[in-house]
Amino acid sequence: MPAEGGLFRREWFKIVDAAPPGIRWARFWDCAAKTGQINDYTAGAKLGRHADGRWFLAGMARGRWEYPDAKHIVLQTAAADGREVGLGIEDSSSGTPLIQDLRRGSVGQRYAVRAVKVAVDKAVRAAPWAAQAEAGLFHLVQGEWVNNFLDEIASFPMGAHDDQVDAVSGAYEMHLTGGGRPRFGTLARDTGVTSTAARG
């Protein structure tokens, strides 16, 4: 079992079989700069917000991928999610090239990619949705990813990895800034979103 991190508790998160209808979705990608065994992962969290205030984390794509593979997986996941799911990527040294590449490419232009800049500590960034979880409003849709996610949050912010937490923080911020509802028809020129989040 991981060491207790202090910000989250496993029991705060309710595991459900499926999310209810009528949810706005966003997927945010936290990109890793390197792919070695001691480095962080690239992670993409799909988070939904219901009109009644409940949150549903419906999936986590995660791996140590070289850039071409990461780009392929981001596009493959976006296609599986559909254009109803907002697409955000951290605008950092590791994520900026992917944002630029997707905006130029004919395939990537099917999606309104939101570039999310981050600026403050990871724990500060995660605190708002930790409060939602503590209030019983955060649900996890059952899947193979759930146990790994719970392990990470239980040790955050002192654990070895925080990519999944960062990915959820980004998706949460997208919802608060309207990113859960993408714009269709054109690729947005000004899709930058500034968040109070830490780079990493």
Side-chain angles (χ1 to χ4, degrees):
M1 295 294 290
E4 190 63 46
L7 186 60
F8 295 98
R9 296 287 184 273
R10 291 171 181 266
E11 58 268 23
W12 293 349
F13 294 84
K14 302 176 181 179
I15 300 175
V16 298
D17 291 331
I23 291 182
R24 294 173 61 185
W25 296 99
R27 186 183 292 272
F28 180 84
W29 289 91
D30 178 73
C31 298
K34 299 179 181 179
T35 58
Q37 291 301 308
I38 63 171
N39 296 304
D40 262 346
Y41 295 79
T42 291
K46 182 180 178 182
L47 181 66
R49 185 182 190 183
H50 196 275
D52 64 9
R54 289 179 296 162
W55 296 84
F56 292 84
L57 186 58
M60 184 74 65
R62 183 175 185 254
R64 289 188 176 106
W65 303 302
E66 297 292 344
Y67 179 79
D69 293 327
K71 176 185 173 183
H72 173 74
I73 289 167
V74 169
L75 286 171
Q76 185 180 59
T77 305
D81 286 343
R83 291 180 56 168
E84 293 293 333
V85 178
L87 173 60
I89 300 172
E90 181 184 1
D91 192 357
S92 65
S93 59
S94 51
T96 302
L98 177 58
I99 295 166
Q100 295 171 342
D101 207 2
L102 292 180
R103 287 178 173 176
R104 285 194 299 264
S106 59
V107 176
Q109 288 182 6
R110 297 174 187 171
Y111 309 99
V113 180
R114 296 175 65 88
V116 180
K117 293 186 180 294
V118 294
V120 301
D121 183 80
K122 294 171 180 285
V124 173
R125 184 187 186 193
W129 64 272
Q132 296 289 312
E134 185 176 11
L137 297 175
F138 227 91
H139 302 72
L140 309 180
V141 178
Q142 182 64 59
E144 294 181 358
W145 60 276
V146 168
N147 286 337
N148 187 280
F149 173 75
L150 290 174
D151 286 346
E152 183 175 305
I153 63 166
S155 63
F156 181 84
M158 296 180 290
H161 299 289
D162 51 28
D163 45 272
Q164 296 178 91
V165 173
D166 286 350
V168 176
S169 294
Y172 183 85
E173 290 157 356
M174 284 180 68
H175 280 284
L176 299 187
T177 57
R181 180 169 294 174
R183 286 171 284 183
F184 302 118
T186 61
L187 184 67
R189 291 188 178 88
D190 182 15
T191 53
V193 177
T194 300
S195 80
T196 55
R199 289 188 182 278

